[in-house]
Amino acid sequence: MKRRLFLLFLFCLTFFYTLPAQAENFIIEDYKVYAKIYQTRDVDVVEDITVRFTTPSHGIFRDIPLKNIEVSNIKVDNSFKIENALRTKRIKIGNAHKLVSGVQNYRISYRMKIHDDKPQIYFNIIGTNWPVKINNVYFYITLPQEVNSDKVGLSIGKYGTKGFKEGEGYFTVAK
């Protein structure tokens, strides 16, 4: 009896230990973000995401954090459903009755209204909730007026990474 309980415990432990690896069944090959920022603190966002599925799947989730922002006018070039959570708007992209495999392209567009009284705009380009590898990220931001590039800051990398300056090979402000 003890041996059976131990084997059941070992099976459950192994099953739960392997779940995260099974959840990551795709790689993001290219992630392109186009953002147009307005004086009103609205941001129109278009995301082009190229995904390579390593096993057949129903699609992807795109979680948008809702800290100090409101998200509206969501459009996707595929079947999708929207779920509202406490601090996240989840876009489920794909079809529950159809599997996809190989390379798939997804286009998401939405408008963000930033509710923050700071004299700056914080915009996390790809968010922090992707549990998968992202090979390439491209971003294009249009600002509402001429901007002094000395006033533009950028942080890249893991949470807590400090900012980088223009010209250090990370970004350039188009003139």
Side-chain angles (χ1 to χ4, degrees):
M1 180 68 169
K2 285 183 182 180
R3 186 167 193 265
R4 281 190 201 169
L5 286 175
F6 175 75
L7 289 175
L8 179 63
F9 172 77
L10 188 60
F11 172 77
C12 290
L13 182 65
T14 303
F15 177 74
F16 289 115
Y17 184 76
T18 60
L19 278 179
Q22 293 172 353
E24 299 177 14
N25 63 342
F26 65 93
I27 295 169
I28 297 176
E29 295 292 350
D30 291 310
Y31 197 119
K32 296 178 183 173
V33 178
Y34 307 87
K36 183 172 184 178
I37 301 173
Y38 298 93
Q39 285 292 109
T40 59
R41 302 176 73 79
D42 291 339
V43 182
D44 285 335
V45 180
V46 176
E47 300 179 8
D48 288 327
I49 306 170
T50 302
V51 175
R52 182 171 40 89
F53 288 97
T54 54
T55 59
S57 177
H58 294 284
I60 63 172
F61 296 151
R62 171 62 172 107
D63 291 336
I64 302 173
L66 297 177
K67 184 177 180 180
N68 296 325
I69 68 166
E70 177 184 332
V71 177
S72 63
N73 202 26
I74 297 173
K75 297 177 184 168
V76 180
D77 68 346
N78 203 306
S79 298
F80 73 101
K81 291 182 182 178
I82 298 171
E83 289 182 355
N84 293 306
L86 181 62
R87 296 183 185 148
T88 304
K89 188 167 288 274
R90 172 168 274 189
I91 307 169
K92 291 180 161 186
I93 305 168
N95 186 325
H97 305 292
K98 180 181 172 188
L99 291 172
V100 294
S101 60
V103 176
Q104 302 292 319
N105 295 300
Y106 300 101
R107 174 169 271 203
I108 307 165
S109 64
Y110 52 93
R111 173 164 276 199
M112 293 179 3
K113 175 73 173 171
I114 299 173
H115 300 288
D116 195 341
D117 59 358
K118 295 178 184 172
Q120 64 188 18
I121 291 180
Y122 171 80
F123 177 50
N124 191 332
I125 295 168
I126 59 171
T128 58
N129 295 334
W130 287 106
V132 299
K133 180 179 178 183
I134 301 175
N135 286 333
N136 300 294
V137 175
Y138 308 89
F139 62 93
Y140 309 89
I141 300 175
T142 303
L143 299 170
Q145 60 190 16
E146 288 245 350
V147 174
N148 179 348
S149 63
D150 292 337
K151 302 287 184 187
V152 176
L154 173 71
S155 294
I156 62 172
K158 295 180 181 176
Y159 178 80
T161 301
K162 302 298 180 194
F164 295 91
K165 298 280 186 205
E166 179 187 9
E168 290 182 344
Y170 297 103
F171 78 103
T172 302
V173 176
K175 306 291 184 202

